[in-house]
Amino acid sequence: MTKQDGPGRRAAFLVVACCLLLGLVAAPASATPARDDGWVLSTNDPSKNYSPTFVGNGYLGARVPAEGHGYSSKPIVTQSQLAGFYGAPSAGQEERAGLPTWTTLGFGRGDDVYGLGEWSCGFGQLCPAAYGKISGGAFLESSHPGSITGSYLAGLNTNNTPTVGGRDVVPVRNAPAGPATLAVRYGNGSGSAQTVHIGVNGQSRQLSVPSLASWDDWAVVTVPVTLNAGANTLEVTVADGDTARVNVDYLALYPEGAQPPTQVAPSTVGATTNYRQSLDLRTGVLSTSFDWTSPAGDTTSFAYEVNANRADGHLGTVSVRAVPHWSGTATVIDEFDARGLDHASTRDPQVDGRTATLSETVVSDGNLVTAGMSSVLRVDGRTLPTRAIADGGAGQRADFPVRAGQPLRITKFVGVASSVDTDRLPAAPQQAAARTAAHAAVEGYQRALARNQDAWADLWRSNISIPGDPTMTAQVHASMFYLLASVRAGVVWSASPGGLSSDGYSGHVFWDMETWMYPALLAQYPDIAADANAYRQQRLPAARAAAAALSTPDHPVKGAKFPWQSALTGKETTPDWSPDGRQEIHINSDIALAQWQYYEATGDRTWLRDKAWPVLQGIADYWATRAVPDPAGGYSINDVKGADEYHDNVNNSASTNAGAQASLRIAIRAAGIVGRPADPAWARVADGLKIPVDPVNNIHPEFDGYAGQTIKQADVTLLQYPWAVPMSPELAQNDLDYYRQRTDPNGPSMTDAIATIAGAALGSPGCQVYTSLRTSADPYLAAPFNQWYETRTGGAFDFTTGQGGYLQEFLYGFTGLRWGTDAVAVDPFLPPQLPGVDITGIKWHGRTFDLSVGARTTKLTLRSGPPLPVRVGGGDVRQVRPGVPLQLPTRHPAGDATDCGS
């Protein structure tokens, strides 16, 4: 089945049920080890409280398993992602496509190659389909809970079309000759019986499996078989005539008449000791070291390093220092592992043995995007002759003599490029990928690593730290690292809620970027933030077409309607069954605010006129025509879903109306700056939009008729930040208090980030601000690498949306930093539990400055540029010059802010 076939896609596009079953979600912050003042995160035991991390350079990314390289299906499917690499299934929406795993690099002797040994399952064991050799368009999926490893065989039917040729091969060892029972655990929520072929040692038969209640249910069917003594081969195959809308969890062979087995076959071959895995956030290098003893008894010491090169977005490297404690002929295998492939197919794998170069072309579904991949293999800097691997996959191997105790440095230099690259590569994808890999191999691994380190060091000139608190500093550093790993200057692609860590939410772009991630980038990396705006600007024609399609003679609609879910083309990619594409129109306002904030932060009038103005004008025209006159006076925006996604089809959503009102007024201001006319309807509608106040409770009701129902996430509280709707402090505090009690604790993390920022601005009493800071992060953190889950119980992972909200708490909450066209505003606030907040490298209008929020005094230091105008606490503007820091008092909460309870 395809990913859309099951019902779980709406709740979370990357489901991590496997992690929930293994207890890997929501490790408390104190369980996450931090080293080296919050820069290096590590673990010595990936079998407990472990979620694999990812490396990325903003263009190319890869999640790396505990093995230190290559592909794994547990506890989370490790994926390789490429910005802008989208596919279009024949009957579905555009979705992020996954590359083959480019990080695979094995070393060993004969067939005992670390990480690449021929996996087999024992007779009398449960044999996970996820560990078999999958080909022919089948793939692994993890959207439905209950599988024994967290992932299962899927893709046997795509959009109601059987994937003829899809196959999974499972070798089984140590079987007795004669009759036996084959058990097949399957999922089938199609509503009718489905068929696939089951093969034993090449003899195949069609198997029919009954329908189950839902795609989240599993059942077992058994088949009598006859086995050979010793090794046997099982196959699941889609043949002509099969319907194949079925998932397969495991196969199992056991004696005829016996009880079914319960032991799950292990996924690895050999034994590992002295394990350590570390992520250096300063350099983006993931290091994994251990000693491995092969099934034959050979022991080798390994130290892997995996990196997506920050200096060259098209380059990835995998390097291993291997010390064999044996002598003989060694084998190294460099592979593009097709098990990582998703919504794409591969073509023309080739090996040039003379230059030790492996190449392959990857084409996304629907032929939307073509990517070229090239890998150049070097051993101790030398070119050894290679040959294609024997199984016909995309891989090369070299064999050479080694001596016990003699260390080796084995490196693969991987170049990746695509047909939608935005940095204007002067060659076709495959040629560009080959040039990247070959050039890196010539310059050598240490030089490639040094360039990567220099590029990251330049980024980390801007930093956020908590003095004296390395654990929280590590959380902040990790949040910024994962955000930066998913975006880069010059790559005009926006980030999805999972960044480049996965295909979570199908890699679609939501309001998550403009509202949650973008402001965290804008403060310190405006050059990167600019490309998120450019992504929307380039898709303005599609937004205009979407608005025009809504227009009727009775209700003409003008302007631009941006999609709730966006991918390659800018067309709406929300699934047809969901109302969100029609109702979550607040995305328009989120985009308008981001465009305006960039102008506020940079003062670039040329950019405002040439790039942003058409977007702002289109959004203003949309709101002016989407709003309708209210018989009681003013204007209403009806039939929407606000930021609170628990309520559909509401009228006058507070957050939607506030955003529309702000967007209209932004367009009016921009028109004056760039010398363009402002439609009089913009001001008329902006002034007439309703944001009512409940006079009894002195709160803003979330929508017309709201009566205190449970909400999903921050909605009304967004009026305070980022929309800055004027209101009294009493009303603002009432909104925070009222909606805190009505927000689903199992919703996403961002609500408490808004409570922290708004509460800091208000000076909320007691422990409110510090408590919301902790609850915005602690329940969502996953050990050992400080990654984020979307909710307390799972959801998208790694959740860059939550990380962006967390970073904003420090950038805008405790500093009170706000952008302005003529000055920056600063109004610092600090709970007593925080020793301080130090922020370096903030940018505004060509200046760079630092902020150090201390317990009593806050210091603003101008590092470069002309004098900086600073509005202090919403009052006077002061000019700050280099060498003369501005000192101002730090505010604190009223009342007892030290007793925060449990």
Side-chain angles (χ1 to χ4, degrees), residues 345-391:
S345 57
T346 58
R347 299 177 185 173
D348 198 24
Q350 294 187 4
V351 172
D352 183 338
R354 182 180 59 84
T355 62
T357 300
L358 165 68
S359 62
E360 185 171 47
T361 297
V362 189
V363 181
S364 69
D365 288 353
N367 294 318
L368 281 192
V369 184
T370 299
M373 301 179 67
S374 180
S375 177
V376 176
L377 183 66
R378 294 292 182 263
V379 178
D380 285 336
R382 297 178 293 119
T383 305
L384 298 182
T386 63
R387 66 184 188 276
I389 59 176
D391 66 3

Side-chain angles (χ1 to χ4, degrees), residues 203-229:
Q203 299 297 313
S204 185
R205 72 180 77 175
Q206 190 176 65
L207 177 69
S208 178
V209 296
S211 182
L212 305 175
S214 77
W215 284 107
D216 290 339
D217 293 309
W218 299 93
V220 175
V221 295
T222 58
V223 179
V225 296
T226 302
L227 302 180
N228 299 326

Side-chain angles (χ1 to χ4, degrees), residues 670-901:
I673 294 168
V674 302
R676 303 294 171 84
D679 188 331
W682 297 352
R684 184 170 62 251
V685 173
D687 293 343
L689 282 171
K690 303 179 188 319
I691 308 177
V693 175
D694 174 356
V696 175
N697 295 304
N698 193 28
I699 61 159
H700 290 96
E702 188 178 275
F703 50 81
D704 286 354
Y706 177 74
Q709 302 97 313
T710 298
I711 68 172
K712 177 182 178 181
Q713 60 194 15
D715 186 300
V716 167
T717 54
L718 297 171
L719 271 59
Q720 298 175 50
Y721 178 90
W723 292 119
V725 173
M727 67 184 78
S728 70
E730 294 78 15
L731 175 56
Q733 186 64 54
N734 286 348
D735 280 346
L736 289 179
D737 295 341
Y738 183 85
Y739 287 101
R740 180 183 295 113
Q741 299 172 21
R742 287 158 178 81
T743 303
D744 186 349
N746 294 316
S749 65
M750 305 96 71
T751 295
D752 286 308
I754 295 300
T756 300
I757 298 168
L762 287 169
S764 292
C767 282
Q768 290 185 25
V769 174
Y770 182 72
T771 299
S772 60
L773 169 67
R774 300 307 314 186
T775 55
S776 74
D778 290 353
Y780 310 98
L781 283 165
F785 299 112
N786 283 350
Q787 297 174 97
W788 285 53
Y789 284 94
E790 181 178 13
T791 71
R792 297 167 187 257
T793 56
F797 179 82
D798 183 30
F799 192 47
T800 49
T801 305
Q803 291 161 344
Y806 184 59
L807 291 167
Q808 288 191 62
E809 295 177 71
F810 299 95
L811 289 165
Y812 302 102
F814 301 119
T815 65
L817 176 66
R818 299 292 187 272
W819 306 117
T821 57
D822 59 344
V824 294
V826 178
D827 190 15
F829 173 93
L830 199 68
Q833 295 84 356
L834 286 183
V837 177
D838 292 337
I839 304 175
T840 62
I842 305 171
K843 312 293 193 303
W844 184 84
H845 287 224
R847 287 91 159 169
T848 300
F849 64 96
D850 304 339
L851 271 169
S852 181
V853 181
R856 295 184 178 181
T857 303
T858 293
K859 181 170 70 173
L860 187 153
T861 305
L862 180 61
R863 296 298 182 192
S864 65
L868 174 69
V870 179
R871 181 169 285 105
V872 178
D876 296 337
V877 174
R878 304 182 192 178
Q879 297 292 327
V880 181
R881 292 174 171 78
V884 185
L886 172 66
Q887 305 272 353
L888 58 155
T890 302
R891 295 179 298 115
H892 300 284
D896 185 359
T898 59
D899 182 10
C900 296

Side-chain angles (χ1 to χ4, degrees), residues 43-275:
T43 183
N44 294 320
D45 185 2
S47 68
K48 299 177 182 176
N49 207 23
Y50 174 86
S51 296
T53 189
F54 82 102
V55 296
N57 59 26
Y59 176 73
L60 175 66
R63 188 171 292 284
V64 182
E67 288 79 4
H69 78 116
Y71 174 87
S72 178
S73 63
K74 63 181 183 63
I76 296 168
V77 175
T78 54
Q79 300 176 320
S80 296
Q81 302 295 328
L82 188 66
F85 192 52
Y86 288 99
S90 58
Q93 307 287 352
E94 297 171 15
E95 297 193 49
R96 169 87 58 75
L99 295 173
T101 301
W102 57 266
T103 61
T104 302
L105 180 65
F107 174 81
R109 173 154 55 172
D111 291 332
D112 289 335
V113 175
Y114 174 73
L116 296 172
E118 285 296 327
W119 175 80
S120 62
C121 180
F123 180 81
Q125 292 183 324
L126 304 180
C127 308
Y131 298 164
K133 183 163 287 187
I134 299 169
S135 60
F139 54 77
L140 293 181
E141 178 60 280
S142 59
S143 294
H144 301 294
S147 62
I148 58 173
T149 66
S151 59
Y152 46 84
L153 177 67
L156 303 179
N157 181 299
T158 302
N159 297 312
N160 291 321
T161 301
T163 310
V164 176
R167 174 178 281 103
D168 190 3
V169 179
V170 175
V172 179
R173 64 185 182 275
N174 301 327
T181 298
L182 169 62
V184 181
R185 189 173 192 243
Y186 72 94
N188 173 15
S190 69
S192 61
Q194 298 291 311
T195 60
V196 292
H197 272 67
I198 298 293
V200 179
N201 300 324
Q203 299 297 313
S204 185
R205 72 180 77 175
Q206 190 176 65
L207 177 69
S208 178
V209 296
S211 182
L212 305 175
S214 77
W215 284 107
D216 290 339
D217 293 309
W218 299 93
V220 175
V221 295
T222 58
V223 179
V225 296
T226 302
L227 302 180
N228 299 326
N232 290 261
T233 301
L234 304 179
E235 287 185 284
V236 178
T237 307
V238 180
D240 286 331
D242 284 333
T243 53
R245 286 193 69 196
V246 62
N247 298 326
V248 178
D249 184 27
Y250 66 70
L251 309 175
L253 287 172
Y254 57 96
E256 184 180 41
Q259 291 295 311
T262 58
Q263 180 188 20
V264 180
S267 63
T268 56
V269 177
T272 299
T273 57
N274 300 321
Y275 181 91

